[in-house]
């Protein structure tokens, strides 16, 4: 998600040219949606399922993988009755998912948990309760959970983010190193939090945009100490930060409905800004070859390709190389590979653009049958994997021509979290089951 509010896929992200081998972040080792190895083409309930493990509670976070461990987060009700109803927005407003619905009602107490599974066997290695608390707000009744942010690992630490209920850093054997609480957030329509952190070296960066005082913050990964904090004039935003390098300077890129911005990683200083995206920004930015791509898919949808290297207000300048308003992703983040940008809509239409020019190789191609999507596409070895809400994972060929290679079904499953791919294996998270396809 997935990675939107807590009701969608939001998860955790890093962009670094020297990212380690593995799947340590929800968008893959380079945060472009691509794996470095191969992945299975076909599977079913009876074929190529290496193992499946039960996951308690409710969580739509994506799995991440390091060494012999697979990490997921979840939220498990304690059974304590809900507290008195909190102040909630007016009901019947159109949900941020583009569908009418209400946030969940008075909240019950939950255990917010991080779990580690053995990658070879699926055996539970350990589980840690980061916090027992009553969430501040609800979530989307269909797509929400209180554990929609994916964990992140650097091979020494694993970091779990539960929004306004805290950020937690553990060792790989489950020992708590530090924790940090950012206080209560107030999200649009009460649909919960969902932006993910980004990591570069020892700096952990979070964008905390909500209906009150919003800010961007950089922390010391090892201690949780703040390096800097930059106020933002934003409202609710479900897209997280991207860290990208250009001309020897690292910057934090944030896609948002009011303004998309770039900040200096070392100081938090605003470098550039550009208006143009519509309401409810969710997809993760991606960057390559001196360009960054930001997208919105709800009201006034837009996809903007911006050339990096300039400072100041880029709105209306030729730094915006191309734009697109048809077939944009509302929820799913794009895949960027081999100079091509792949975009998937929530209702199952796929587009492929030339990343430099915006020319579509194909646009709004329909899949073999009607689908709904919240998980983001992932790619491996010439194949693009689309995990649907309907239990199917559709495999499409990467390239200029649209071609469906396979449709793989796991009966009774719904995929909201984004798959992880590593060394010929796919890790899929259903409602209460983690699958390893090998």
């Amino acid at each position: 998600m997935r990675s939107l509010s807590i009701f969608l896929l939001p998860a955790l992200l890093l962009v670094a040219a020297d990212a380690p081998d593995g799947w340590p972040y929800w968008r893959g080792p380079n945060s472009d949606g691509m794996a470095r190895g191969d992945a299975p083409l076909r599977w079913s309930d009876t074929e190529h399922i290496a193992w499946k493990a039960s996951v308690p509670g409710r969580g739509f976070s994506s799995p991440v993988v390091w060494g012999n461990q697979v990490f997921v987060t979840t939220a498990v009700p304690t059974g304590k009755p809900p507290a008195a109803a909190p102040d909630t927005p007016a009901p019947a407003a159109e949900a941020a998912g583009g569908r009418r619905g209400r946030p969940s009602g008075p909240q019950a107490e939950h255990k917010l948990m991080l779990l580690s599974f053995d990658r070879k066997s699926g055996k539970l290695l350990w589980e840690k309760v980061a916090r027992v608390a009553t969430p501040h707000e609800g979530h989307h009744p269909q797509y929400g959970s209180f554990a929609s942010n994916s964990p992140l690992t650097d091979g020494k630490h694993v970091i779990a983010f539960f929004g306004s209920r805290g950020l937690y850093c553990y060792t790989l054997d489950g020992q708590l190193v530090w924790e940090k609480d950012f206080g209560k957030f107030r999200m649009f329509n009460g649909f919960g939090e969902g932006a993910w952190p980004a990591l570069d070296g020892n700096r952990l960066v979070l964008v905390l945009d909500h209906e009150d005082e919003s800010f961007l913050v950089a922390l010391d990964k090892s201690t949780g100490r703040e390096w800097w904090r930059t106020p933002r004039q934003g409202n609710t935003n479900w897209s997280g930060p991207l860290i990208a390098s250009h001309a020897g300077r690292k910057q934090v890129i944030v896609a948002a409905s009011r303004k998309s911005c770039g900040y200096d990683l070392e100081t938090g200083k605003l470098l550039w800004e550009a208006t143009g995206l519509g309401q409810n920004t969710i997809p993760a930015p991606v960057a390559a070859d001196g360009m960054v791509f930001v997208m919105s898919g709800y009201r006034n949808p837009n996809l903007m390709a911006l050339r990096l290297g300039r400072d100041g207000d880029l709105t209306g300048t030729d730094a915006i190389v191309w734009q697109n308003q048809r077939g944009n992703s509302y929820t799913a983040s794009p895949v960027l590979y081999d100079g091509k940008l792949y975009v998937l809509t929530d209702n199952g239409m796929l587009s492929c653009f030339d990343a430099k020019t915006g020319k579509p190789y194909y646009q709004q191609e329909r899949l073999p049958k009607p689908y709904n999507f919240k998980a983001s596409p992932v790619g491996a070895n010439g194949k693009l994997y689309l995990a649907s809400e309907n239990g199917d994972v559709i495999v499409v060929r990467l390239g200029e021509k649209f071609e469906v290679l396979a449709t793989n079904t796991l009966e009774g499953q719904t995929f909201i979290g984004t798959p992880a791919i590593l060394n010929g294996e796919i890790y899929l998270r259903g409602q209460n089951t983690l699958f390893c396809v090998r």
Side-chain angles (χ1 to χ4, degrees), residues 16-359:
D18 58 350
D21 192 20
W23 196 272
Y25 329 107
W26 80 287
R27 295 307 290 140
N30 291 317
S31 291
D32 53 9
M34 289 297 299
R36 291 178 174 168
D38 202 357
L41 176 62
R42 301 183 187 275
W43 64 89
S44 69
D45 286 303
T46 58
E47 295 181 301
H48 305 301
I49 303 297
W51 52 260
K52 52 185 179 180
S54 295
V55 180
R58 179 182 173 97
F60 291 142
S61 60
S62 306
V64 298
V65 186
W66 188 277
N68 197 40
Q69 292 176 273
V70 184
F71 302 99
V72 296
T73 57
T74 191
V76 181
T78 64
K80 185 177 179 180
D87 294 334
T88 56
E94 187 166 76
R99 308 179 184 197
R100 291 192 179 276
R102 298 168 181 257
S104 50
Q107 301 310 315
E109 185 179 74
H110 282 71
K111 293 187 294 183
L112 306 177
M113 301 179 65
L114 175 66
L115 288 73
S116 170
F117 294 91
D118 183 272
R119 182 178 160 201
K120 294 180 180 179
S121 66
K123 176 184 177 182
L124 179 65
L125 297 176
W126 50 260
E127 59 182 24
K128 298 295 178 181
V129 177
R131 188 167 181 178
V132 178
T134 301
H136 295 308
E137 290 187 324
H139 56 64
H140 189 281
Q142 184 176 357
Y143 301 115
S145 78
F146 297 119
S148 290
N149 305 74
S150 301
L152 171 154
T153 180
D154 63 354
K156 295 181 179 179
H157 308 88
V158 57
I159 294 170
F161 183 43
F162 294 99
S164 59
R165 284 306 188 184
L167 180 68
Y168 303 86
C169 178
Y170 293 87
T171 62
L172 295 191
D173 60 2
Q175 301 302 310
L176 181 65
V177 179
W178 56 264
E179 60 183 271
K180 188 173 181 65
D181 190 337
F182 293 100
K184 182 178 179 179
F185 305 146
R186 187 170 64 88
M187 308 299 285
F188 170 73
N189 214 27
F191 278 102
E193 304 130 13
W196 53 90
L199 180 65
D200 183 273
N202 206 38
R203 277 185 167 82
L204 184 68
V205 181
L206 301 92
V207 56
L208 300 169
D209 286 352
H210 61 123
E211 296 302 296
D212 293 322
E213 295 182 5
S214 301
F215 59 94
L216 183 72
V217 62
L219 308 176
D220 187 299
K221 174 192 67 178
S222 301
T223 65
R225 179 178 66 87
E226 287 194 16
W227 286 100
W228 49 258
R229 180 182 292 215
T230 300
R232 282 177 47 78
Q233 294 180 342
N235 52 356
T236 295
N237 180 20
W238 292 293
S239 181
L242 169 76
I243 299 174
S245 295
H246 180 72
R249 182 170 67 176
K250 290 183 178 180
Q251 54 183 281
V252 182
I253 298 167
V254 179
S257 57
R258 290 188 177 177
K259 292 179 180 179
S260 295
C261 301
Y263 300 84
D264 184 86
L265 176 62
E266 295 298 317
T267 65
K269 178 185 176 182
L270 178 67
L271 301 175
W272 59 264
E273 60 186 23
T275 61
L277 296 188
Q279 186 178 345
N280 293 359
T281 39
I282 300 163
V286 287
D289 300 323
M291 294 174 66
V292 62
F293 304 86
V294 294
M295 180 166 47
S296 65
Y298 187 42
R299 292 176 181 165
N300 303 313
N302 199 17
L303 165 58
M304 295 197 302
L306 297 99
R307 193 182 314 280
L308 297 174
R310 299 188 191 176
D311 291 350
D313 189 351
L314 307 183
T315 306
T317 73
D318 61 1
I320 302 177
V321 180
W322 58 268
Q323 301 183 66
N324 175 73
Q325 292 82 37
R326 291 180 49 232
N328 290 343
S329 296
Y330 180 17
T331 304
S333 295
V335 168
L336 180 59
Y337 175 69
D338 191 27
K340 300 175 183 66
L341 187 72
Y342 298 86
V343 174
L344 178 68
T345 66
D346 281 36
N347 63 352
M349 292 189 290
L350 186 67
S351 301
C352 174
F353 299 95
D354 182 307
K356 289 184 178 179
T357 67
K359 177 184 176 181

